[in-house]
C-alpha cells in the first residue's frame, strides 16, 4: 500500500541547490520541528511554484513520500513576505533569525510556540523602522534561547540568584549569565555594562510589536551579547550576522559597536 502524501504547514528557512534545477527546501513546521523537501525544477525560470517557496514565506506543502526527502507535489502561499526578500537590509536581518532557528531545530522534535514566535519576529521586521532592527534580532536570539532551555539570567546571579549590583557586573556565557561579585570569583566571566543587561532583559520579555520604533544605541551592545550567547550555548556561529552588521553600517550610518 502506497504511503500517504505529507501535508506540511510551515516557514521557509533555507534553500539549497540540488542538481541542475532542483532545490532542497528546509521548513520550520507549525509544531516547531524541521522538515526538508525537494522542489523539482524550482530553479527553472518559468517554474510556477518557485515564487511561493521563497525564503521567509509561510506555506502549505503537499509532499509525496519517498525513501529520502519528500517531493513537493503542490504548494500554497499562506503568508507572502516579499518585502523581506527585496530589501537588502531586511533580508539580512531576517537571514540572521532564520539561520539561528534552523541551526537549533530537528526533525520530529516539536518545540511549542517556536513557529508563532518566529512568524511574529519576521512580521515585525517588515513593519519596523530600520533603527529598530538590531533590537529585534537581539530579542529573537534571547527568546529563542529561552524557548530551547538556554535562557540567560540578566538581573539575578545565575549561580546564587542574588540581585545584580549595577556597579560591579560580570557575565558568564558558560555558567548562565550575570554573576554577583562572589560567584564571579569562581567562574570565567567578562565585564558587561549594567545598561546592556537591563536592556537585554527588557528585549527578551517584550513583544516584538513593542519594538517597532526602538532606537536605543545600546541595542548594538545587546545584539553583541546575544550573538556571543548563541555561539557559546547553541554551538554554532551565525555567519549571516556579519552581513547584517555590514549592511547596517551603510544604511544606518555606522555604529561604534558594529
Amino acid at each position: 500500500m502506497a504511503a500517504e502524501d505529507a501535508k506540511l504547514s510551515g516557514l521557509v528557512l533555507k534553500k539549497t541547490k540540488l542538481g541542475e534545477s532542483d532545490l532542497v527546501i528546509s521548513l520550520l513546521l507549525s509544531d516547531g520541528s524541521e522538515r526538508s523537501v525537494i522542489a523539482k525544477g524550482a530553479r527553472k525560470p518559468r517554474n510556477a511554484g518557485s515564487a511561493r517557496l521563497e525564503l521567509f514565506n509561510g506555506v502549505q506543502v503537499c509532499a509525496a513520500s519517498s525513501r529520502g526527502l519528500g517531493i513537493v507535489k503542490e504548494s500554497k502561499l499562506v503568508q507572502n513576505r516579499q518585502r523581506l526578500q527585496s530589501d537588502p537590509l531586511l533580508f539580512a536581518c531576517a537571514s540572521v533569525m532564520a539561520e539561528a532557528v534552523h541551526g537549533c531545530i530537528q526533525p520530529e522534535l516539536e518545540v511549542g510556540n517556536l513557529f508563532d514566535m518566529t512568524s511574529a519576529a519576521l512580521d515585525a521586521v517588515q513593519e519596523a523602522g530600520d533603527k529598530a532592527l538590531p533590537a529585534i534580532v537581539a530579542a529573537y536570539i534571547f527568546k529563542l534561547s529561552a524557548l530551547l532551555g538556554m535562557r540567560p539570567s540578566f538581573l539575578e546571579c545565575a549561580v546564587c540568584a542574588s540581585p545584580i549590583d549595577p556597579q560591579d557586573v560580570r557575565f558568564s556565557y558558560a555558567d548562565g549569565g550575570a554573576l554577583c561579585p562572589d560567584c564571579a570569583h569562581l567562574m570565567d566571566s567578562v565585564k558587561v555594562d549594567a545598561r546592556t543587561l537591563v536592556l537585554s532583559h527588557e528585549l527578551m520579555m517584550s513583544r516584538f510589536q513593542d519594538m517597532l520604533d526602538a532606537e536605543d544605541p545600546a541595542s548594538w551592545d545587546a545584539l553583541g551579547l546575544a550573538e556571543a550567547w548563541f555561539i557559546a550555548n547553541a554551538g554554532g556561529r551565525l555567519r549571516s550576522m556579519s552581513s547584517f552588521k555590514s549592511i547596517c553600517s551603510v544604511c544606518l550610518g555606522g555604529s561604534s559597536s558594529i
Side-chain angles (χ1 to χ4, degrees):
M1 182 176 179
E4 292 185 1
D5 295 340
K7 296 182 179 180
L8 311 172
S9 178
L11 292 170
V12 179
L13 294 181
K14 185 178 181 179
K15 301 192 299 182
T16 306
K17 293 180 181 179
L18 180 66
E20 295 184 358
S21 61
D22 303 337
L23 285 173
V24 176
I25 307 295
S26 297
L27 301 170
L28 168 63
L29 299 184
S30 56
D31 63 8
S33 65
E34 187 270 345
R35 182 74 176 266
S36 294
V37 293
I38 296 175
K40 291 285 189 180
R43 290 160 54 204
K44 292 181 179 179
R46 296 185 180 180
N47 185 282
S50 59
R52 293 191 288 271
L53 296 173
E54 284 293 344
L55 290 172
F56 321 126
N57 280 347
V59 295
Q60 290 181 347
V61 171
C62 178
S65 299
S66 68
R67 292 183 179 181
L69 301 180
I71 308 297
V72 175
K73 295 177 61 177
E74 183 180 353
S75 62
K76 178 182 178 181
L77 182 63
V78 176
Q79 177 131 25
N80 187 351
R81 295 190 172 93
Q82 185 176 4
R83 191 177 177 215
L84 299 184
Q85 302 150 16
S86 60
D87 185 298
L89 178 57
L90 301 187
F91 181 87
C93 178
S95 294
V96 176
M97 297 190 290
E99 182 185 357
V101 67
H102 184 262
C104 295
I105 57 177
Q106 300 178 37
E108 300 181 4
L109 180 61
E110 299 180 9
V111 182
N113 298 322
L114 182 56
F115 176 86
D116 290 341
M117 184 189 76
T118 303
S119 297
L122 292 174
D123 290 342
V125 171
Q126 290 195 122
E127 301 174 32
D130 289 351
K131 292 183 179 180
L133 297 181
I136 292 175
V137 175
Y140 181 78
I141 293 175
F142 287 137
K143 290 175 181 289
L144 175 64
S145 298
L147 204 57
L148 298 175
M150 303 179 293
R151 177 173 178 156
S153 178
F154 295 120
L155 304 184
E156 295 180 343
C157 177
V159 177
C160 70
S162 61
I164 293 300
D165 180 0
Q167 302 302 318
D168 189 10
V169 181
R170 306 288 297 184
F171 194 88
S172 173
Y173 296 101
D175 296 295
L179 299 175
C180 68
D182 290 338
C183 294
H185 290 302
L186 306 174
M187 313 289 181
D188 290 332
S189 61
V190 295
K191 185 75 173 179
V192 177
D193 185 77
R195 170 58 185 157
T196 302
L197 292 185
V198 171
L199 177 59
S200 296
H201 177 79
E202 292 174 351
L203 292 175
M204 185 172 67
M205 301 304 293
S206 298
R207 301 185 310 157
F208 290 112
Q209 286 295 315
D210 295 333
M211 307 174 197
L212 301 184
D213 299 317
E215 296 187 8
D216 192 335
S219 296
W220 284 109
D221 296 320
L223 180 61
L225 190 69
E227 180 183 12
W229 177 263
F230 185 88
I231 292 172
N233 289 273
R237 187 172 297 275
L238 294 172
R239 297 184 178 183
S240 55
M241 185 68 82
S242 60
S243 296
F244 173 56
K245 291 180 178 180
S246 296
I247 296 174
C248 279
S249 69
V250 175
C251 296
L252 305 184
S255 169
S256 60
S257 298
I258 297 178

